Amino acid sequence: MNDSAYLRCIRPACGATYDLNEQIYECKKCGNLLDVAYDWERLKPPESLAFFQQRWATRDRAIDHSGVWRFRELLPFAKPDELVTVQEGQTLLQAPDATALKIPLRQGRLHLQYEGMNPSGSFKDNGMAAAFTMARKLGCPRVGCASTGNTSASMALYAAKTHLAEGRLMQAIVFIGEGKIAYGKLAQALDYGALTLQVAGDFDACMKRIREATDRLGLYLMNSVNPFRLEGQKTIMYRVLECLGWEPPDWIFVPGGNLGNSSAFGKAYIELKELGLVPKVPRICVVNATGANTLYDLVNHRGLKWNNGNWDEPVAADKYAEMDAQGIKAKTIASAIEIARPVNLSKELRTLDAMNGVVCEVTDEEILEEKALVGKYGYGCEPASAASLSGLRQMLEKGVVDQGARVVCILTGHPLKDPDATVGYHTGLKSSGAPPTRTEPWGRSANKPIQVPDDLDAICKVIEENT
Ligand code: F0G
């Protein structure tokens, strides 16, 4: 099986290939990112996506129940008995009432892919199932990542459940920016026993350091620069297709941070198209927060394009040099996507090219208002996730998306990940011991708790007056 799966440089002009078992994250010849590539001729993938429906009948088998591994023929880099799963990917495409959410799409056209329902509460579990499968195959005892919180929570969970061949558990090592991650996520890393290093710096600083530490100590790197992570995250798109009767939607909206998730979607569709398994490729909109808008600026203002793999690297280098010179750091309430130097930039450019994609930016206020609406109608997500809906609203207003289009927004993380942002929105207060930033609620959908005396008459009066 392994000869049919290998690592390949993403730049077609280089195209260097490496053995699957080489523990590398970039091309040794040209320094670009790597893909997991397959010899589809030899692997003989299914001729139709409907093939995967047979797995519904054998859900008592863990790998057929997993929302990642039931599609294993589309990420065939390991044998069935090597696959790591914690039953990730039991997520569904929700069909909310677009009118209630005040999204001007025709009824039935809006879908929310609720990835917050994963075991660690975010889409990252899809990628970890695949990356841990590889880490175990390689026999790596220590896995590491830099994180804005969800990658670390997910990695810590998988490490706490993954035994190496000799029986011992893996050890998770996480680098987080001090004061930069939401409490729900920090709580998970601590509870799952990860060695948690609070680095005096932001995510971008942590990312630089984890790569250096990985090189020095031989840790297995679990950030999305690891191409196996993206293999797992492709399956989010397969589940979307599954829920839509295997018919691709018109648009996918997804928040962009380190740009691993959206790049995985691009790879999924590039392969499905090549294999003749989809009639068309949807368009993608990657949504940045205005305070962390590197991709938006590079693509929309500096004209950066994939250009068949010959993308203009100095354009990005100039941008980073300018940011350094001006001391500009990423800053947004959507802490999950507070990233200034996305490691998957080049894969993202390929995705935008393959999916006729666009990039937009949305403000923190737009994100919080959208999050509150998503919560009010019973879905719920963390701030970064709501960026996908804010982006959709903007693209509808600009006429880029048609009101009749079939749209899927990815809700990437669970609402309990960042209770501070939610409580702060509704009450004006911070909940986790930090001093209050506001004394009055300010959100348009704010639902402030009402203080009442310990008195039944007074309590009933308040209920009658407010319902
Ligand atoms: N939404 C959430 C909830 C996230 O946690 C992230 C990324 C994204 C969106 C953006 O995805 O990085 O693939 O573009 N979180 C990473 C982390 C960076 O460390 O947890 P991306």
Side-chain angles (χ1 to χ4, degrees):
M1 150 121 14
N2 277 1
D3 309 338
S4 309
Y6 51 94
L7 298 172
R8 184 177 61 206
C9 175
I10 68 159
R11 210 163 62 84
C14 173
T17 59
Y18 303 94
D19 189 272
L20 203 61
N21 296 317
E22 278 208 52
Q23 205 174 314
I24 49 172
Y25 313 98
E26 55 195 28
C27 178
K28 288 194 267 187
K29 289 205 177 115
C30 72
N32 269 285
L33 295 172
L34 298 170
D35 271 332
V36 181
Y38 304 102
D39 180 348
W40 295 115
E41 291 283 315
R42 281 171 64 189
L43 287 162
K44 301 214 178 332
E47 283 172 12
S48 143
L49 289 174
F51 163 88
F52 294 105
Q53 284 164 215
Q54 64 181 280
R55 299 269 152 80
W56 301 342
T58 49
R59 288 188 153 221
D60 53 337
R61 197 179 170 208
I63 57 169
D64 288 353
H65 190 241
S66 160
V68 169
W69 298 120
R70 71 172 181 265
F71 299 103
R72 55 190 173 272
E73 286 78 3
L74 296 175
L75 51 154
F77 65 85
K79 299 193 205 85
D81 62 356
E82 294 172 331
L83 306 178
V84 171
T85 179
V86 303
Q87 295 309 297
E88 56 289 317
Q90 307 307 320
T91 60
L92 280 181
L93 198 57
Q94 314 275 337
D97 180 349
T99 321
L101 287 169
K102 302 190 188 78
I103 298 268
L105 269 184
R106 286 223 308 271
Q107 204 52 322
R109 296 299 167 121
L110 175 63
H111 302 272
L112 305 179
Q113 176 67 8
Y114 194 7
E115 289 297 313
M117 293 305 286
N118 270 293
S120 83
S122 85
F123 72 93
K124 304 284 181 184
D125 296 352
N126 296 285
M128 288 300 165
F132 268 82
T133 293
M134 202 56 206
R136 193 170 64 173
K137 262 163 77 79
L138 295 170
C140 300
R142 296 187 292 183
V143 291
C145 72
S147 184
T148 56
N150 282 324
T151 301
S152 49
S154 179
M155 187 185 81
L157 167 65
Y158 276 79
K161 288 187 148 178
T162 308
H163 294 265
L164 290 166
E166 69 266 22
R168 74 173 151 142
L169 280 168
M170 288 188 186
Q171 174 63 48
I173 301 159
V174 310
F175 285 28
I176 54 173
E178 197 163 355
K180 290 288 182 186
I181 82 170
Y183 257 39
K185 307 173 188 182
L186 177 60
Q188 288 177 289
L190 300 177
D191 232 25
Y192 294 135
L195 174 69
T196 304
L197 305 184
Q198 292 190 304
V199 179
D202 60 7
F203 173 83
D204 297 299
C206 290
M207 193 67 230
K208 181 167 173 278
R209 292 294 180 209
I210 188 74
R211 295 197 73 160
E212 291 165 352
T214 300
D215 286 347
R216 189 180 298 182
L217 302 174
L219 312 176
Y220 191 57
L221 184 59
M222 286 294 188
N223 280 102
S224 52
V225 68
N226 178 328
F228 294 95
R229 277 272 313 277
L230 272 54
E231 288 309 288
Q233 286 166 217
K234 292 190 309 192
T235 65
I236 299 171
M237 286 299 106
Y238 306 153
R239 295 197 297 277
V240 163
L241 286 168
E242 187 178 42
C243 285
L244 292 176
W246 309 114
E247 212 180 292
D250 298 307
W251 280 94
I252 307 282
F253 278 74
V254 58
N258 228 2
L259 306 179
N261 212 23
S262 37
S263 296
F265 297 174
K267 185 168 190 278
Y269 275 106
I270 290 169
E271 289 171 349
L272 289 175
K273 182 95 187 302
E274 184 191 331
L275 295 171
L277 291 172
V278 281
K280 69 164 194 182
V281 169
R283 297 188 69 185
I284 194 166
C285 178
V286 184
V287 188
N288 272 169
T290 47
N293 65 352
T294 302
L295 181 71
Y296 173 82
D297 184 46
L298 286 173
V299 169
N300 294 334
H301 295 146
R302 303 182 190 223
L304 194 60
K305 285 196 186 68
W306 171 239
N307 196 19
N308 199 28
N310 300 313
W311 56 290
D312 201 352
E313 292 188 43
V315 171
D318 287 352
K319 159 96 183 156
Y320 295 147
E322 274 173 36
M323 288 170 77
D324 285 346
Q326 294 167 26
I328 296 173
K329 303 266 183 212
K331 186 84 199 118
T332 166
I333 184 93
S335 55
I337 52 173
E338 194 179 71
I339 295 173
R341 293 171 185 250
V343 297
N344 287 296
L345 177 63
S346 52
K347 284 189 177 173
E348 184 68 65
L349 296 174
R350 180 177 67 178
T351 289
L352 293 172
D353 182 71
M355 298 182 76
N356 191 12
V358 294
V359 184
C360 71
E361 60 169 358
V362 294
T363 65
D364 281 6
E365 192 176 339
E366 286 166 332
I367 286 174
L368 287 177
E369 289 301 343
E370 211 69 59
K371 182 180 120 48
L373 274 180
V374 172
K376 187 168 176 183
Y377 292 101
Y379 297 98
C381 62
E382 64 166 283
S385 316
S388 55
L389 276 143
S390 308
L392 169 60
R393 195 180 295 282
Q394 190 185 106
M395 290 295 110
L396 279 159
E397 272 163 21
K398 288 188 171 160
V400 177
V401 174
D402 186 83
Q403 296 197 347
R406 192 138 71 141
V407 178
V408 174
C409 292
I410 312 295
L411 295 184
T412 46
H414 197 277
L416 293 178
K417 289 281 189 176
D418 191 351
D420 280 12
T422 308
V423 175
Y425 173 90
H426 290 290
T427 66
L429 301 172
K430 279 200 171 179
S431 65
S432 59
T437 47
R438 292 184 180 84
T439 49
E440 283 303 315
W442 56 279
R444 286 201 289 278
S445 304
N447 178 24
K448 196 181 181 189
I450 302 171
Q451 283 171 335
V452 290
D454 183 12
D455 174 277
L456 185 62
D457 286 343
I459 289 171
C460 291
K461 185 163 176 281
V462 170
I463 293 173
E464 293 294 3
E465 281 171 4
N466 287 281
T467 51

